C-alpha cells in the first residue's frame, strides 16, 4: 500500500508516525505537480493534511495523539512526492486573552504552489524555524524573501493568486521548499548563522 493509500482511508488520522524525517530521500526530491482537475484522492489528502494541523494545534488532540504543533505540512513529508501543501496560521488572542475574531490569519490547502514574484528585501523569523521532519533544533536566521506572490490551485481546482508578507510568507515559503527538496537549514548561513545582511527584515 502506498503512503497515500494508507492516509486517505476514511478512519485514518495523520500522526507523527506518517511523517518522514531528515535523511529520507523523499525530502530531497523535487515533487511532481498534481494532475488537474484534482483527483478525489488528492482532495482527501489535502483535507487530511489540514486536519492534522488542526489536531496538532488543539491541546487535547495533540496530547492524545502525541503530535508536535505545526503551522504547515507538505505532502513530501508524508513520503508522497507531490506538490501539495497545507498551511494553518492561528491569530493570537487579544490583550485580554479573548479568542481573536478571525481564528486564522492563513488557512489554505494549496496544490502546485509556486512563487511567481518576490520582493528584493529578504526576511527571517527572529526565533528561527523548526520542522516536523527535523527532530533537533537548528539555530540561525533562515533567510527568505520578505514578500512573495504565490500562484496555486485550490481544493476546487480553481487557480488562485495571493500576496503574502510577514510570518505567513515565511510559512508558505518553508512548505513550498519541501516540494523542491529544500530543508529550512539549507537557508541558514553556515559560517555565521545570525548574520543580518543589510536591509534584511527580522520578523518577531
Ligand atoms: Zn518543514
Amino acid at each position: 500500500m502506498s503512503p497515500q493509500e494508507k492516509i486517505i482511508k476514511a478512519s485514518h488520522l495523520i500522526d507523527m508516525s506518517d511523517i518522514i524525517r531528515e535523511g529520507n530521500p523523499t525530502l530531497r526530491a523535487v515533487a511532481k505537480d498534481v494532475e488537474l482537475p484534482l483527483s478525489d484522492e488528492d482532495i482527501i489528502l489535502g483535507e487530511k493534511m489540514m486536519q492534522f494541523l488542526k489536531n496538532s494545534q488543539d491541546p487535547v488532540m495533540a496530547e492524545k495523539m502525541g503530535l508536535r504543533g505545526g503551522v504547515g505540512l507538505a505532502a513530501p513529508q508524508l513520503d508522497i512526492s507531490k506538490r501539495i501543501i497545507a498551511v494553518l496560521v492561528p491569530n493570537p488572542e487579544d490583550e485580554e486573552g479573548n479568542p481573536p475574531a478571525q481564528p486564522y490569519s492563513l488557512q489554505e490547502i494549496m496544490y502546485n504552489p509556486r512563487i511567481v514574484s518576490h520582493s528584493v528585501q529578504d526576511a527571517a523569523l527572529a526565533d528561527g524555524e523548526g520542522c516536523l521532519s527535523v527532530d533537533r533544533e537548528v539555530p540561525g536566521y533562515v533567510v527568505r524573501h520578505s514578500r512573495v506572490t504565490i500562484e496555486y490551485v485550490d481544493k476546487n481546482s480553481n487557480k488562485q493568486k495571493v500576496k503574502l508578507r510577514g510570518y505567513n510568507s515565511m510559512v508558505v515559503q518553508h512548505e513550498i521548499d519541501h516540494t523542491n527538496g529544500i530543508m529550512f537549514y539549507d537557508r541558514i548561513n553556515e559560517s555565521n548563522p545570525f548574520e543580518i545582511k543589510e536591509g534584511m527584515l527580522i520578523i518577531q
Side-chain angles (χ1 to χ4, degrees):
M1 194 168 39
S2 73
Q4 183 160 359
E5 284 171 320
K6 180 188 159 206
I7 284 165
I8 64 174
K9 286 202 165 175
S11 60
H12 185 74
L13 293 178
I14 295 173
D15 64 26
M16 297 308 292
S17 72
D18 295 306
I19 297 176
I20 59 173
R21 309 300 158 90
E22 57 179 334
N24 187 308
T26 304
L27 288 172
R28 288 308 195 175
V30 175
K32 281 207 176 84
D33 273 334
V34 295
E35 283 181 32
L36 302 173
L38 297 172
S39 66
D40 289 348
E41 285 77 13
D42 287 341
I43 292 169
I44 293 167
L45 176 60
E47 286 170 351
K48 297 250 178 185
M49 290 166 62
M50 182 58 79
Q51 188 61 51
F52 166 83
L53 295 176
K54 286 190 178 159
N55 291 340
S56 84
Q57 293 175 18
D58 177 317
V60 175
M61 284 304 282
E63 163 91 39
K64 194 171 134 193
M65 294 178 68
L67 307 180
R68 263 179 73 189
V71 292
L73 184 67
Q77 294 180 275
L78 302 167
D79 205 15
I80 299 166
S81 199
K82 290 183 171 181
R83 306 184 81 86
I84 307 173
I85 68 171
V87 287
L88 184 69
V89 180
N91 276 321
E93 295 173 339
D94 72 13
E95 281 154 25
E96 283 143 32
N98 301 310
Q102 290 286 337
Y104 301 107
S105 68
L106 182 63
Q107 176 181 19
E108 194 65 24
I109 302 161
M110 300 181 178
Y111 296 89
N112 302 339
R114 281 200 169 80
I115 297 170
V116 293
S117 66
H118 62 81
S119 58
V120 173
Q121 186 184 40
D122 287 336
L125 296 177
D127 296 332
E129 296 187 16
C131 179
L132 294 168
S133 295
V134 180
D135 294 324
R136 63 192 171 105
E137 304 240 325
V138 187
Y141 292 134
V142 179
V143 181
R144 301 189 178 283
H145 307 303
S146 179
R147 298 176 302 284
V148 288
T149 302
I150 307 289
E151 278 184 2
Y152 65 97
V153 171
D154 69 16
K155 61 184 176 182
N156 301 313
S157 297
N158 295 322
K159 262 194 156 183
Q160 301 289 346
K161 192 174 187 173
V162 288
K163 290 185 179 192
L164 299 170
R165 48 179 296 184
Y167 187 77
N168 290 349
S169 172
M170 302 293 108
V171 172
V172 170
Q173 288 180 73
H174 177 120
E175 300 310 328
I176 290 178
D177 269 355
H178 277 306
T179 68
N180 291 318
I182 297 166
M183 302 295 284
F184 75 90
Y185 44 74
D186 299 348
R187 300 193 182 280
I188 297 174
N189 180 341
E190 218 174 332
S191 57
N192 188 3
F194 290 98
E195 180 189 31
I196 301 179
K197 285 234 173 92
E198 199 187 323
M200 189 166 100
L201 178 70
I202 302 298
I203 299 167
Q204 295 297 327

